[in-house]
Every structure is written in structure tokens, then in C-alpha cells.
């Protein structure tokens, strides 16, 4: 049985974390785009140094700047997904409580 105070905690979590959840999603999307920018910048740097496109692309993908951008993207994705699953858990708890409460009301009406 899910207690009313547990549901209130879940509701509070959803309300109190909405802004941070939105920021985590925005960070994830930003980092996905930013990785492309870093790759393009690094590729251009190596093209300007006279390398062929294939060689410049390989060098860019092994550059520390690109690796750092990928690591930051991974961190942003992890945070967004963690927050997503926390929201899902809260929503599931609330829905289970709603179902249980509805069933209790139905049982009470039938007796």
C-alpha cells in the first residue's frame, strides 16, 4: 500500500525539480550539438594545416577537445536520463496510489 505522504513526496519532487529537469534536457541537447561544432572546428584546424579531409577527420576525432566534448555529452545524457527515470518512478508511484485509492473506494461502495 502506498501512503499519502509518499505520494506527496513524489508530487513535491515533480514540482520542485521541473526547472532542473528542463535544464538537464537542454544541456543534453546542447551538448549533442556542441560535439558537432567541436568536430567541425577541429577538422577545419587540421584541414588548414594541409591534411586531406580523411586525415583531418581522423585527427579531429582523436583530439583532446573532441574527447572532452564527448565526455561532457555523456555526462549530460546520464544526468538527463537519471532525472527522467526519477520522474517516471514518481509518476508510477502516483498512478499506483490513484489505482489503489480508486479500488478502495469501489470496495467501500460495494459493501
Amino acid at each position: 500500500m502506498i501512503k499519502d505522504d509518499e505520494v506527496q513526496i513524489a508530487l513535491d519532487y515533480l514540482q520542485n525539480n521541473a526547472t532542473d529537469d528542463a535544464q538537464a534536457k537542454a544541456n543534453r541537447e546542447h551538448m549533442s550539438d556542441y560535439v558537432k561544432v567541436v568536430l567541425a572546428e577541429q577538422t577545419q584546424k587540421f584541414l588548414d594545416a594541409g591534411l586531406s579531409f580523411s586525415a583531418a577527420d581522423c585527427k579531429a576525432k582523436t583530439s583532446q577537445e573532441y574527447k572532452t566534448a564527448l565526455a561532457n555529452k555523456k555526462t549530460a545524457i546520464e544526468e538527463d536520463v537519471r532525472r527522467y527515470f526519477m520522474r517516471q518512478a514518481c509518476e508510477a508511484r502516483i498512478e499506483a496510489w490513484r489505482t489503489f485509492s480508486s479500488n478502495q473506494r469501489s470496495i467501500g461502495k460495494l459493501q
Side-chain angles (χ1 to χ4, degrees), residues 41-55:
E41 289 174 344
Q42 291 301 304
T43 300
Q44 188 60 53
K45 179 175 90 174
F46 292 114
L47 286 171
D48 292 346
L51 295 175
S52 69
F53 181 80
S54 293

Side-chain angles (χ1 to χ4, degrees), residues 77-96:
I77 290 170
E78 287 173 351
E79 180 63 11
D80 183 38
V81 170
R82 183 187 71 78
R83 288 180 164 281
Y84 171 79
F85 285 127
M86 289 295 292
R87 286 190 312 275
Q88 291 296 105
C90 288
E91 290 169 4
R93 180 170 286 144
I94 293 164
E95 190 56 36

Side-chain angles (χ1 to χ4, degrees), residues 1-103:
M1 179 171 131
I2 298 173
K3 298 177 184 172
D4 291 349
D5 60 333
E6 292 174 352
V7 173
Q8 188 60 51
I9 290 168
L11 288 167
D12 290 344
Y13 176 87
L14 291 173
Q15 182 176 12
N16 295 337
N17 288 284
T19 300
D20 291 338
D21 290 345
Q23 184 64 56
K25 184 171 183 167
N27 290 345
R28 176 183 184 165
E29 292 180 14
H30 171 75
M31 285 309 302
S32 291
D33 292 338
Y34 184 67
V35 165
K36 296 172 190 174
V37 170
V38 170
L39 180 59
E41 289 174 344
Q42 291 301 304
T43 300
Q44 188 60 53
K45 179 175 90 174
F46 292 114
L47 286 171
D48 292 346
L51 295 175
S52 69
F53 181 80
S54 293
D57 187 53
C58 288
K59 285 275 200 183
K61 287 179 178 173
T62 59
S63 69
Q64 188 56 50
E65 292 87 349
Y66 185 67
K67 289 177 185 178
T68 299
L70 285 176
N72 291 339
K73 178 182 174 183
K74 178 181 181 268
T75 300
I77 290 170
E78 287 173 351
E79 180 63 11
D80 183 38
V81 170
R82 183 187 71 78
R83 288 180 164 281
Y84 171 79
F85 285 127
M86 289 295 292
R87 286 190 312 275
Q88 291 296 105
C90 288
E91 290 169 4
R93 180 170 286 144
I94 293 164
E95 190 56 36
W97 174 82
R98 288 178 62 194
T99 300
F100 178 78
S101 296
S102 177
N103 289 343

